[in-house]
Amino acid sequence: MAFLADALSRMKPSATIAVAQKARELQAKGRNVISLGAGEPDFDTPDNIKQAAIDAINRGETKYTPVSGIPALREAIARKFKRENDLDYDASQVIVGTGGKQILFNALMSTVNPGDEVIIPAPYWVSYPEMVALFGGTNVFVSTKQENNFKLTAADLEAAITPKTKWLIFNSPSNPSGAAYSHDELKALTDVLVKYPNVWILTDDMYEHLTFDDFKFATPVQVEPRLYDRTLTMNGVSKAYAMTGWRIGYAAGPKELIKAMDAIQSQQTSGTSSISQWAAVEALNGPQDFIEKNKKIFQGRRDLVVSMLNQASGISCPVPEGAFYVYPSCAGLIGKTAPSGKVMETDEDFVTELLESEGVAVVHGSAFGLGPNFRISYATSETLLEEACMRIQRFCAACK
């Protein structure tokens, strides 16, 4: 009898975490490594949010919390959805989890049976398909095209839907591509979805506040209210509020689904950190002006990275609408020989040789389901980004 569960054989470790760990190991050995793998803002959490956490500690807010979140936070989330997305949710339709990842995990665990199909546009965040596979679901990947800025089309979505389809997982702005869908682009997709009442929509809006060039964010159920009863809208404070380590994600949706997720969480982690929740209350209720300032900094970094990568031999980098990632193609380098003498046959070969040769850590596109590409996170200083891009240019020029 095997000791480990069979389900583990269906799941792979996170490629983004693996890249960050390899970079740390090389740095510990004295290598000068610039790590562009992790999706984490380099900004500090705003002082008013930190102070709210300190105040909560001093008030003695250090006990167990309700599984779905403290009332003050669930109410703040409901107000946020109304204020920013024109969505009406009661606090009883809201659940708070330990990061967005737990929200997604519990939603899929609550609903996916063996054989259920889940549509996932590629490129995708690495954890989506692993969660589906863990619960015995069937991943249905729909590849997008770089010339369409990695966006799912209505025709491709409709072609992927079958009687077994249970979910569409939808992420805008996207990790890893940074692609963001306009209102009209969303309307084309929601027009398809209204025709298929068996398909639920799990929308990951984690990068909602990080869009550029006057792009106006919208979320699917906002565009098509008829999808309200079968949409789970997930978000969190990690990215826009620079609160990754606080581990607060949240979602709103139909009460039946929220109740099921609450039941799972009650036997899993129970309530999220009380201190983090009170910090998140201040994040959502307090001043929002710093978001716009940080967004302008991210846009400047995006423009720098896109410009420099497009000057590298064999690299083609589209301009993303949001998040803090670029997803360039390295197709022009596949088949070439790296300075080490190795012929690069895949995007994974490319990123491995880049790390070994120039000490720049990025994530290979095949980990996100679409290559030959690679992902760069530009959530770090312009100084480091400029140096990293210079190293990439040098590496590409040396490939023969």
Side-chain angles (χ1 to χ4, degrees), residues 92-145:
S92 64
Q93 294 177 268
V94 172
I95 188 167
V96 179
T98 307
K101 189 174 283 189
Q102 185 180 32
I103 296 291
L104 297 166
F105 191 97
N106 289 353
L108 294 170
M109 189 177 190
S110 301
T111 57
V112 173
N113 293 310
D116 287 344
E117 294 178 353
V118 179
I119 296 173
I120 304 177
Y124 46 73
W125 182 47
V126 293
S127 293
Y128 297 147
E130 307 308 326
M131 292 180 190
V132 173
L134 189 62
F135 303 128
T138 300
N139 289 299
V140 177
F141 300 118
V142 182
S143 293
T144 60
K145 296 180 173 63

Side-chain angles (χ1 to χ4, degrees), residues 20-35 359:
Q21 179 59 31
K22 185 168 185 179
R24 283 192 291 268
E25 290 171 357
L26 289 172
Q27 287 168 336
K29 294 177 180 178
R31 286 287 306 276
N32 179 359
V33 174
I34 300 175
S35 182

Side-chain angles (χ1 to χ4, degrees), residues 144-150 316-318 327-330 370 372-373:
T144 60
K145 296 180 173 63
Q146 182 163 322
E147 53 266 33
N148 193 37
N149 251 20
F150 303 110
S316 171
C317 185
Y327 199 65
S329 168
C330 56
L370 191 70
N373 294 73

Side-chain angles (χ1 to χ4, degrees), residues 144-269:
T144 60
K145 296 180 173 63
Q146 182 163 322
E147 53 266 33
N148 193 37
N149 251 20
F150 303 110
K151 293 179 187 179
L152 177 67
T153 67
D156 286 343
L157 170 61
E158 189 153 23
I161 295 173
T162 76
K164 293 183 178 180
T165 305
K166 181 160 278 185
W167 284 105
L168 162 67
I169 298 182
F170 184 78
N171 177 213
S172 171
S174 162
N175 174 6
S177 72
Y181 291 71
S182 69
H183 184 282
D184 289 347
E185 289 167 336
L186 284 176
K187 186 66 168 63
L189 298 177
T190 58
D191 283 351
V192 172
L193 292 166
V194 293
K195 297 189 289 185
Y196 298 92
N198 59 303
V199 181
W200 282 55
I201 302 89
L202 204 173
T203 177
D204 179 349
D205 295 352
M206 190 62 75
Y207 297 91
E208 170 186 2
H209 291 109
L210 298 177
T211 60
F212 312 123
D213 303 317
D214 300 320
F215 182 92
K216 186 172 177 56
F217 175 84
T219 194
V221 72
Q222 179 183 9
V223 171
E224 180 47 81
R226 286 179 290 176
L227 298 174
Y228 182 89
D229 290 332
R230 49 188 172 104
T231 299
L232 183 71
T233 302
M234 190 277 286
N235 211 315
V237 297
S238 294
K239 311 299 183 179
Y241 296 92
M243 294 177 67
T244 50
W246 298 80
R247 309 309 301 132
I248 294 289
Y250 59 80
K255 286 186 180 180
E256 181 183 11
L257 175 57
I258 298 299
K259 185 177 179 181
M261 293 167 64
D262 177 277
I264 286 175
Q265 195 162 306
S266 72
Q267 299 293 356
Q268 186 187 53
T269 57

